[in-house]
Amino acid sequence: MKYQKNDKVVIKIEDMGSSGEGIGKADGFPFFVKDALIGDTVEARATKVKQNYGYARLEKVITPSSFRVEPVCPVHRQCGGCQLQALSYEKQLEYKQKKVQDALMRIGGFSRETIDRITEPVVGMESGFHYRNKAQFPIGSDKNGNLVAGFYAGRTHSIIANTDCALGVPENREILEIVLAYMRKYHVPAYDEKTGRGLVRHVLIRKGFVTGQLMVCLVINGKKLPSAERLVAALAVIPGMTSVSYSVNEKNTNVIIGERIVLLWGKERIEDRIGDIMFSISPLSFYQVNPVQTEKLYGVAAEFADLKGNETVWDLYCGIGTISLFLAGKAGQVYGVEVVPQAVADARDNAARNGIGNASFFVGKAEEVLPEKYRREGITADVIVVDPPRKGCDERCLATMLQMRPEKIVYVSCDCATLARDLKALCAGGYEPERVRAVDMFPMTGHVESIVLLSKLHTKQNIEVE
């Protein structure tokens, strides 16, 4: 049967896609259905039909899955940030484990036998809520002109009003309500993307889970925040409040935080601890949003690296040096590489703050710094740890890693598709996967972090790279 847009279909959901959408067939024709869960039988309406598959919008759950649970958040479907909130947490972990395994087989070309042999149990959380130490809430107006804060609906810039996100810290609600009350009282307008007018664009909130320190930074479309002292007075009494600032962003851009930060009250940074390492965090710092799982993630990375105390370790895409400093106490020398200059400055500051003298950091692209240090200065590697963005590693970076021939490569990934692609190249160049483990850094969402240990095949000849 040939389906068309707006056709109603009844589908038994038999699988789930990479973004958490349900997958099932109507008369043998596959449909992807957002918010449908494995085990559901649903009524859906076709929204887009291609030659061999289609997309549909969930209209009614006819028979709910045995894995379906009552969502905590009443707007989770509209918001779109929690794709899996209606799925039991045990099943979420199973889904994420399978997602990593399927990518390694389908894209990486590894056999089922290999993947089953090297896969270790997924690392989950005791509670999948209130784990985010950072949130960026857009500020706008509803159709009646009332100020709202919340999150964008999926693939739109329409704000779903919600000051009490179930994934964020409890303090978010009080802070946002104070900001909105201040804006109403002093007639401070919200930014309007369509006209480019208005002042307050976003509210950034960060919390140190170990220290309890709080940071609030308003992103504004202007150079000054009116009656700022009134806002500061209201925020400063919140327990743990450490930093209140604003960020100037007058550009028509999807980038949230502007480069200029103006401190209004308190300190420029907050602090938080991962393991034994204390980190200093600014509004611009990259810092893992789930500190509880981050410590577990880095613990797995350290276990995979199995350092004895005299190794030379390279940490590529190192950010503010979180993994570098976490490993430094177990290594001889650690070198970190990061393209963002401010992040490298933070990494150096964090090393000094913690009295770590065997970690050095370089500004630049990993695919440029690594060849430079290897070829011109002769710096080799016993272990390379790589934690790239979603797009994975640059081909030149992979090539230099293969030429340097470290005994181990520990690949930390936030995208299992690009992970699988890069592992295929590294294994073709003389490595084999020994261990893989998924870590649930983002419960209630379709995202998953994973770590793979690659070991050098000693029978492989050195590979020359042009």
Side-chain angles (χ1 to χ4, degrees), residues 85 118 124 189 248 351:
Q85 197 175 125
I118 66 175
V248 177

Side-chain angles (χ1 to χ4, degrees), residues 78-125:
Q78 299 96 305
C79 170
C82 294
Q83 304 93 342
L84 304 181
Q85 197 175 125
L87 186 66
S88 71
Y89 189 55
E90 182 181 0
K91 197 65 178 178
Q92 288 184 37
L93 295 178
E94 183 182 315
Y95 157 74
K96 293 182 181 187
Q97 179 101 307
K98 183 177 182 294
K99 178 178 176 177
V100 174
Q101 292 178 315
D102 287 350
L104 293 177
M105 290 187 290
R106 179 173 51 86
I107 301 171
F110 300 101
S111 68
R112 163 62 71 180
E113 181 183 12
T114 297
I115 296 305
D116 285 345
R117 174 175 54 83
I118 66 175
T119 299
E120 301 178 10
V122 60
V123 181
M125 295 191 73

Side-chain angles (χ1 to χ4, degrees), residues 89 93 96 121-128 290 292-293 296 437-441 443:
Y89 189 55
L93 295 178
K96 293 182 181 187
V122 60
V123 181
M125 295 191 73
E126 290 183 14
S127 171
N290 186 337
V292 173
Q293 291 299 89
K296 296 178 185 177
R437 194 162 197 185
V439 179
D440 189 18
M441 296 285 287

